[in-house]
Amino acid sequence: MTTHTTAPGTPETPDTPDSNAPAATGLIGLPATVGRALATGGGALAVVSAFLAWTWTAEFPGDLTVYGYPGGLQVLVLIGGLFTTLFGLASYGVKGLKVLTPGNADSALKLAALGTFATAWYTVIAISAKLGGVVNLEPGGYLVALATLVALLGALALPFQRPEPDPADPDDTGWEAFRHRARQKRANFKAAFAAEPPAPGRTLPAWAEILVITGVMALGLLVFTYGIGTEYDELFIGFLLTAGFGFAALAKAGLVARISAITTRHRTVTMTGAFVAAAAFPFTQSDDQYATIGVYILIFATVALGLNIVVGLAGLLDLGYVAFLGVGAYTAALVSGSPSSPLHVHWPFWASALLGAVVAMIFGVLIGAPTLRLRGDYLAIVTLGFGEIFRITVLNMDGTSGPDVTNGSNGISSIPNLNILGFDFGQEHQLLGTTIGRFANYFLLMLLITLVVVVVFRRSSDSRIGRAWIAIREDETAALAMGINGFRVKLIAFALGACLAGLAGSVQAHVTYTVTPEQYQFAHVVPPNSAFLLAAVVLGGMGTISGPLVGASLLYLIPAKLQFLGDYQLFAFGVALVLLMRFRPEGLIPNRRRQLEFHEDTAAPAVLSKAGA
């Protein structure tokens, strides 16, 4: 089969066939035209099946017994089927649909079909397991299982460029030969889902690009609201499958790269739109049930963004960062009028928040001054020790083992709600015709603080000190040779990151009512903790703004929704992290420099941004 290559910015032209080039075939032995027809037709049948009944009883949540009206997991399969059908038509070159695939339509089709198959078969298996066998399926259930299987088989028949096999050593033992064949199979599977880099395409007018950004923000709000509002476990797992494979398909199609380029050209508009969409979240909720998760996600995300300065920009591995969150929380709790506080003072919020940030920054300087001359693993061990020292210290300051300051394991309780200019955050309020509860009030306050942290991160990363941080991260020896004062630069990053964590901690103290030592361990079932914070930065994308925000949102939302797994919750969560790091080690929203480190075959952009939007 003749292969085609496309250089960015140039029209697609067929290359001269090379007899030595590996053949472009699919994972299964079907012609490509048949594969596209099966994948497209299977996706269309999956859409049709969503309007049929999948089971006869409403005992399975979501009420999948109705004809003509999709519900529950049927909606997710409907979305996956639409993606599969559209990408299938785009792979045929249908006029008007090529705009959906500036990258590689075949790769997007494969992932869309795989995601639809996973969601549909998970639903069918869940129905059979919950109700007692496949006999409980209605015709729609059988149809969706068959249609998605056909779509997946058709997608796997699409051609891909097999990598040139490495020559085998004739002296290899049986085990070494087996490992060589396994490596080649993994390379083939990876190539099957690889996408060509998207062509630059036409530049839209500024107003059109702003409309695109607005639509993306609205879609993001819709997806987040749907995910956080899933009412039962099966629906949330289906949501994860659909959202994960859907995002991967859009990335392979080149739409993510195209939208990223648009947002980079309009960074201020993008940031404004993102915060407007986030501020609209409480108005989409009828009660405070999910606003509770929202405010904790913002606290977690804000602290992760502060850690991103230390880890993502300066390259300092800090494993005790959650202690600075605790310093800010305890400081604010001591001066906010709690009856458990030995100080018996009640400062206004702005004063307690400022004090929490300053005290955390002072601790950052005191801890960083003697330790930042260390590098790598040694620095990580010292910061981990500081985190444990902080927890043990506040645990022992109970009046028995030490001075009576923090009430030991009981912590500081009954922290009063905030009252700013007569606005009581603990009471319900009517705003724009919507009742805003306690957690929604704190959500909006925390959103403002997150905006402050984002502005600080963006301005500092674009400054001279930000460029010095990046130089230290890339090669500290070379940076020192160029005249950068490495110790001073690292100490500033450490102090600034601690200050931002203390600011978030001052709000957390009022949201949780009680501050206890158990909240600030290195590893704890409920985030935030140092392990989850570091995972949020790495998973989301080191050195970017949106990366840690997205990573923190996922790392808080997923454990909160997977509580039904009980003792297997952390196991499932760990497996998910391993898979994400295996297939996307640069993070969900990577910094361009870091993306090039993991994908050497990716074309380097003309300008490398210091921090992503």
Side-chain angles (χ1 to χ4, degrees), residues 13-51:
T13 55
D15 292 334
T16 303
D18 185 359
S19 59
N20 297 323
T25 59
L27 289 176
I28 61 177
L30 289 176
T33 54
V34 175
R36 288 191 178 90
L38 290 176
T40 307
L45 282 178
V47 172
V48 173
S49 69
F51 293 89

Side-chain angles (χ1 to χ4, degrees), residues 27 107 110-111 114 156 160 188-195 252:
L27 289 176
S107 295
K110 294 170 189 175
L111 286 168
L114 180 58
L156 294 180
F160 66 95
N188 288 340
F189 184 79
K190 185 176 180 181
F193 290 93
K252 293 299 185 182

Side-chain angles (χ1 to χ4, degrees), residues 200-226:
R202 295 184 303 172
T203 302
L204 298 174
W207 63 268
E209 292 186 339
I210 293 175
L211 285 179
V212 171
I213 294 173
T214 303
V216 169
M217 296 304 164
L219 179 61
L221 175 62
L222 177 63
V223 172
F224 178 77
T225 303
Y226 185 90

Side-chain angles (χ1 to χ4, degrees), residues 48 67 167 188 286 315 395 409 425 468 505 521 595:
V48 173
Y67 282 85
N188 288 340
S286 57
L395 186 63
S409 59
F425 282 74
Q521 300 180 24
Q595 189 174 23

Side-chain angles (χ1 to χ4, degrees), residues 284-297:
T284 65
Q285 307 300 307
S286 57
D287 53 41
D288 241 12
Q289 179 182 1
Y290 300 118
T292 306
I293 300 178
V295 69
Y296 284 118
I297 286 177

Side-chain angles (χ1 to χ4, degrees), residues 20-23 161-168 180-181 183-185 187-188:
N20 297 323
Q161 188 69 38
R162 295 180 184 271
E164 187 71 28
D166 297 328
H180 174 79
R181 291 193 299 270
R183 284 195 300 269
Q184 189 60 42
K185 289 181 179 179
N188 288 340

